[in-house]
Amino acid sequence: MRIGVLGAGQLGRMLALAGYPLANTFVFYDLSGHPSVGLGEIIIDRDGEHLADFLSRVDRVTYEFEHLPVEVAEIIARTVPVHPTPRSLQVCQNREAEKTLFGDLGIPTPEWRMAESAAELQRVAEELGCPVVAKSNTEGYDGKGQAVLQSPEQAAEAWAAIGHKRVMVEKFVDFRREVSIIAVRGEDGELAIYPMAENVHHQGILRYSIAPAPELDPEIRSSAEGYIRTVMNELGYVGVMALELFETDTGLVANEMAPRVHNSGHWTMEGAATSQFENHIRAITGQPLGDVSARGVSCMVNIIGEHGDLRRVLELPYTHLHLYDKAERPGRKLGHINVLADDYQELVWRVRNCAEFLPGAPVLSCSLNRRSGQNRPQG
Ligand code: AMP
């Protein structure tokens, strides 16, 4: 099949790398003017003049990026099947729509309110009780467009820093750890759910994902599976979806979902029988889904900002390096390394060895080596 991908970054690149062995071809549609996909055919269309050309070249359309106009997806859906549905895109790119849907489906979220001015932000912060997290309602990613308020008096400063007209204000969740669940749903409604991952963020950016998440209570896992199944069925979803959650002393709280393959699922490339990328391609092309079980234990280590000494990383026998062919820039995702092991103790040791060669990589601090660590607001 000829697959059209909206967006042209590293996720599109990894979708194509998984899709070529199944005899698919790829055309990328880029609205940013800065595609980094580095393979397949790329149509750069900053003014929206080449959509018809793009559509004439593809049999199916999917996304690797959710911050694009829903209207574009809706126009496309009139000509070519689009997976996931434009409604999924619309819900995932708007925090208010997303949290409202979670609430309607009985999925717990942090307590939240909307604010449309600095004064309203202050009032809402008083009402919810600080600390609170204020987030732009749209266009947020990697912790961008967010501020933590330790007191309502910080509202004016936070409002100015976020710089958006509409902001979601959430009660700060004192979580034990962050986890995510990734699932794939086929055109016939068949659903397969990967083992959950424990995710470690640093300065708002994902740094490590450990899968399967260590010492996961089976009840927690079954709640998360129920949540993602409910959302995917409700949206008539086809393809891979990720749901990010906070694990607290009283259970799970949903943070956000992504209508696409996700960074916290990159471990599946070598750590699962079928990667999230291949399963997404299988789902959107109407093929049977692949086995989602884990092979041993893995940790995905993101390469952020600088490449570091990758020759040394490649010398380690237990690493799998994936580079996105991007130039170095602070905070930019340049690649990732999947580290595999037979047990968690060995995994932690291997990840530490590997991170030695990545400048600025934070020390791995996760449930495996931190007993009392809880999330604390950081200003
Ligand atoms: P988001 O863009 O919503 O995924 O937020 C980025 C990161 O900020 C999350 O991965 C958490 O580490 C942190 N965060 C977001 N919302 C909250 C919250 N309500 N309470 C505590 N931490 C949060």
Side-chain angles (χ1 to χ4, degrees):
M1 256 193 209
R2 300 172 306 165
I3 299 175
V5 182
L6 303 177
Q10 70 264 17
L11 299 179
R13 178 182 177 88
M14 291 185 275
L15 280 171
L17 289 171
Y20 282 124
L22 298 176
N24 298 292
T25 57
F26 288 82
V27 183
F28 295 90
Y29 184 72
D30 175 78
L31 289 162
S32 73
H34 306 287
S36 65
V37 64
L39 42 75
E41 236 181 294
I42 306 168
I43 296 179
I44 299 179
D45 194 9
R46 267 179 289 199
D47 306 316
E49 286 168 4
H50 304 293
L51 193 55
D53 180 25
F54 170 64
L55 293 180
S56 72
R57 294 165 192 243
V58 298
D59 307 307
R60 282 280 188 287
V61 169
T62 190
Y63 326 87
E64 63 105 61
F65 176 71
E66 66 268 36
H67 299 294
L68 48 90
V70 179
E71 304 82 68
V72 173
E74 281 167 347
I75 292 168
I76 292 173
R78 284 182 218 137
T79 314
V80 177
V82 180
H83 294 314
T85 52
R87 184 178 164 221
S88 313
L89 183 74
Q90 185 251 326
V91 170
C92 293
Q93 65 181 214
N94 183 308
R95 292 188 191 274
E96 187 178 13
E98 182 179 59
K99 292 261 168 33
T100 302
L101 179 70
F102 288 157
D104 290 348
L105 298 176
I107 301 171
T109 65
E111 210 183 329
W112 61 272
R113 304 273 187 282
M114 300 305 294
E116 293 194 331
S117 67
E120 215 178 334
L121 173 58
Q122 177 157 355
R123 192 178 52 69
V124 166
E126 272 158 15
E127 190 185 326
L128 289 174
C130 281
V132 293
V133 188
K135 307 176 175 182
S136 64
N137 189 40
T138 54
E139 291 159 41
Y141 68 99
D142 284 349
K144 291 195 171 65
Q146 291 195 17
V148 177
L149 280 74
Q150 303 291 355
S151 73
E153 290 70 46
Q154 292 174 339
E157 194 188 333
W159 183 262
I162 294 169
H164 273 252
K165 289 197 192 106
R166 210 166 149 69
V167 162
M168 170 167 280
V169 191
E170 294 174 5
K171 192 130 180 79
F172 191 92
V173 179
D174 189 10
F175 52 75
R176 278 193 214 152
R177 60 175 170 177
E178 296 188 65
V179 291
S180 59
I181 188 154
I182 293 182
V184 56
R185 188 172 179 275
E187 281 179 336
D188 57 358
E190 180 194 358
L191 208 126
I193 308 180
Y194 284 96
M196 288 174 75
E198 172 174 337
N199 301 320
V200 180
H201 292 83
H202 180 68
Q203 294 169 341
I205 303 176
L206 181 68
R207 294 296 184 141
Y208 300 101
S209 286
I210 301 167
E215 289 180 31
L216 188 69
D217 183 333
E219 272 185 37
I220 295 269
R221 172 164 171 89
S222 113
S223 307
E225 289 186 355
Y227 297 157
I228 200 161
R229 181 176 287 116
T230 307
V231 174
M232 289 175 105
N233 287 340
E234 164 67 24
L235 294 171
Y237 197 94
V238 174
V240 164
M241 168 183 274
L243 176 61
E244 294 183 67
L245 301 143
F246 301 129
E247 188 182 337
T248 74
D249 290 342
T250 51
L252 291 172
V253 177
N255 179 27
E256 62 179 7
M257 58 184 173
R260 54 170 167 77
V261 287
H262 192 255
N263 197 169
S264 72
H266 290 2
W267 65 272
T268 62
M269 293 173 92
E270 287 86 17
T274 315
S275 78
Q276 62 166 348
F277 301 100
E278 179 176 335
N279 256 334
H280 185 74
I281 298 296
R282 287 187 187 215
I284 67 167
T285 56
Q287 302 295 322
L289 306 180
D291 178 4
V292 290
S293 55
R295 293 172 169 153
V297 295
S298 11
C299 180
M300 187 282 316
V301 184
N302 262 342
I303 304 172
I304 308 288
E306 284 177 66
H307 283 107
D309 194 348
L310 295 180
R311 290 186 65 86
R312 300 296 301 277
V313 170
L314 284 171
E315 279 168 10
L316 301 172
Y318 40 77
T319 56
H320 300 270
L321 177 62
H322 299 270
L323 293 176
Y324 309 153
D325 199 12
K326 285 166 140 185
E328 296 185 342
R329 199 167 68 203
R332 195 176 201 199
K333 290 179 179 168
L334 304 175
H336 70 271
I337 302 160
N338 285 339
V339 179
L340 269 70
D342 291 328
D343 61 65
Y344 289 115
Q345 200 182 353
E346 184 69 13
L347 185 70
V348 169
W349 182 81
R350 290 179 173 186
V351 169
R352 288 224 179 101
N353 282 348
C354 173
E356 292 267 305
F357 305 118
L358 302 177
V363 174
L364 174 64
S365 167
C366 61
S367 64
L368 293 168
N369 55 14
R370 164 171 47 85
R371 285 285 138 223
S372 59
Q374 297 242 328
N375 184 35
R376 294 274 173 256
Q378 294 167 353

